[in-house]
Amino acid sequence: MKKSKYLFVLLLLISITVVCSIGTFFYVKLNNEQTANDDEILVMTSCNPVYLATINILDGVDGYRVQNLSQPTTGCLHDYTLTTEDMKNLSKADVLVVNGGGMEGYLDDVIAAYPDLKIIDTYEAIEHSDGFIGMDEYLIKEDEEHDHEEESESLPLEGKVSAELTDEVSEHHHDHGANSHIWMDDRLYQCQVISIANGLMDANPNREESAIAENVRKYTAALEKIDKQGLDVAVANENVAILHEAFAYTAQSIGANVVATMDLDEERQVSAGEVSEFLDAIRDNDVKLVFAEYDYGSSMGKLIEEQTDAKVVYLETLVHGDYSGLDYITVLNKNYANIKNVL
């Protein structure tokens, strides 16, 4: 009986020792991981296009962690409202990468709440930088409500990641209005990639500059292979109409002229007069192609094809959905393939 009692106590002591050892192991491991995370640069991104650029720039580079604010179900970015969880994440962030140009309507609130947060504004970098000669000429003019109110100093693009990584944008003038969906023109998107890379290297004094530069070279080389072959001839100087302002940049990227715009989203109420005027513009300008987003433009698309000779092409804007890796290239190739198929 005594032996059984001693054996029980011994087993109990061994069990307590094992549990304490395991607990200590995980406690130390957790603390080490927390310390490692504290050394990381937390990069928040505002939307899918700049998120995709950022993860490709930082692929395999130590010292950074990337998190996207917008979710796959996000609607119009202009109307996106930050959640409590978003603000909590931003309080821990070192860098916020934004598209800019009025796309993120909440940006002033973020700046007011976190004045020390570094913000990489890609639109501003492209618009005001000397790194890309005349690049601001190809930023389609916005409505007054989205105009920049303040001028700011441009990011120093030259001397870091060479601006020669992108092709010069061929001269092409547009009178139609649009806003800051600059990623829809892959040439401007390449400029966004470079501006993000430069900003990230500024944010991290212990950066792996060579690794980031190599990633940018790889990604921009992949972007050069986006397949628009034949479109520059098929639609060059042709008149098109659009049902989403983002597609003004799609038209620009293939040399087409936008002659009619009806910007549709989940909250847009369209009058009968607007519809009539839009259909008249399609007929009067001999429009053969209309670019639309299916979720918001399918009903109007059916009406257009019923009452005019134009064909409606449904394209993606990269705002809604869950994207990763080289999905930017996949989506743009799909968009251009859809246009080719209709042609």
Side-chain angles (χ1 to χ4, degrees):
M1 188 70 177
K2 274 188 175 184
K3 287 182 179 180
S4 298
K5 182 177 180 182
Y6 290 143
L7 181 61
F8 172 77
V9 172
L10 179 62
L11 291 174
L12 181 61
L13 289 173
I14 292 172
S15 299
I16 292 172
T17 302
V18 170
V19 170
C20 289
S21 298
I22 292 173
T24 301
F25 170 78
F26 282 108
Y27 177 78
V28 171
K29 186 173 186 294
L30 183 63
N31 277 347
N32 288 339
E33 288 179 352
Q34 184 64 47
T35 302
N37 287 338
D38 288 343
D39 292 336
E40 287 181 328
I41 299 292
L42 175 56
V43 181
M44 301 293 297
T45 57
S46 65
C47 57
N48 288 329
V50 294
Y51 170 72
L52 290 173
T54 304
I55 61 173
N56 278 280
I57 291 166
L58 296 178
D59 183 32
V61 181
D62 293 333
Y64 296 89
R65 183 159 56 92
V66 184
Q67 187 173 333
N68 198 21
L69 273 175
S70 68
Q71 300 301 313
T73 55
T74 295
C76 178
L77 289 176
H78 287 301
D79 302 324
Y80 183 76
T81 302
L82 292 175
T83 65
T84 304
E85 187 66 22
D86 289 336
M87 294 301 285
K88 186 186 299 183
N89 289 331
L90 284 168
S91 70
K92 303 172 186 175
D94 299 286
V95 182
L96 173 62
V97 182
V98 299
N99 181 80
M103 182 62 66
E104 294 86 358
Y106 55 77
L107 195 54
D108 287 342
D109 293 336
V110 172
I111 293 171
Y114 308 110
D116 295 329
L117 177 63
K118 178 177 176 58
I119 295 176
I120 301 173
D121 186 325
T122 63
Y123 187 100
E124 189 174 83
I126 294 170
E127 186 179 38
H128 300 300
S129 176
D130 294 330
F132 301 101
I133 299 172
M135 193 60 70
D136 59 321
E137 296 176 11
Y138 309 106
L139 295 171
I140 298 171
K141 298 302 180 181
E142 299 178 324
D143 297 331
E144 290 182 7
E145 63 180 329
H146 295 305
D147 284 342
H148 288 284
E149 294 180 358
E150 297 179 1
E151 298 289 325
S152 65
E153 193 172 330
S154 61
L155 293 178
L157 296 173
E158 291 182 318
K160 293 187 177 177
V161 179
S162 174
E164 294 176 0
L165 288 171
T166 59
D167 286 340
E168 289 185 10
V169 180
S170 58
E171 186 169 359
H172 193 74
H173 298 288
H174 296 272
D175 294 325
H176 54 273
N179 62 30
S180 46
H181 296 76
I182 54 178
W183 68 86
M184 294 300 291
D185 185 329
D186 55 280
R187 300 162 302 181
L188 288 176
Y189 183 70
Q190 289 191 43
C191 302
Q192 288 185 280
V193 170
I194 292 173
S195 69
I196 293 169
N198 289 337
L200 290 173
M201 288 190 291
D202 280 343
N204 186 1
N206 301 316
R207 63 185 181 261
E208 294 184 47
E209 187 165 344
S210 61
I212 290 177
E214 181 60 25
N215 282 347
V216 172
R217 291 188 189 96
K218 288 180 181 178
Y219 193 42
T220 54
L223 292 171
E224 289 288 349
K225 296 178 182 177
I226 289 174
D227 185 13
K228 294 185 283 188
Q229 187 174 0
L231 286 176
D232 53 344
V233 175
V235 300
N237 298 315
E238 290 293 322
N239 293 337
V240 299
I242 59 175
L243 293 177
H244 192 297
E245 59 188 359
F247 302 135
Y249 282 107
T250 302
Q252 173 175 273
S253 72
I254 56 178
N257 301 312
V258 176
V259 295
T261 302
M262 181 180 289
D263 190 32
L264 301 179
D265 59 38
E266 62 265 39
E267 297 180 356
R268 181 83 158 87
Q269 298 296 321
V270 182
S271 68
E274 285 180 282
V275 173
S276 177
E277 185 178 342
F278 188 75
L279 294 175
D280 286 343
I282 290 174
R283 299 187 194 99
D284 294 344
N285 291 282
D286 194 26
V287 169
K288 294 296 188 289
L289 289 176
V290 178
F291 300 155
E293 187 178 25
Y294 187 83
D295 288 347
Y296 308 129
S298 58
S299 296
M300 183 63 66
K302 291 177 184 177
L303 184 64
I304 289 168
E305 292 190 336
E306 287 172 0
Q307 300 199 16
T308 74
D309 295 328
K311 296 294 182 183
V312 180
V313 188
Y314 294 104
L315 309 174
E316 293 183 43
T317 62
L318 283 148
V319 172
H320 323 289
D322 190 10
Y323 299 100
S324 62
L326 297 177
D327 282 349
Y328 175 86
I329 297 169
T330 302
V331 169
L332 259 67
N333 277 335
K334 180 181 176 183
N335 282 349
Y336 293 134
N338 287 346
I339 297 171
K340 291 177 187 178
N341 289 340
V342 170
L343 289 171

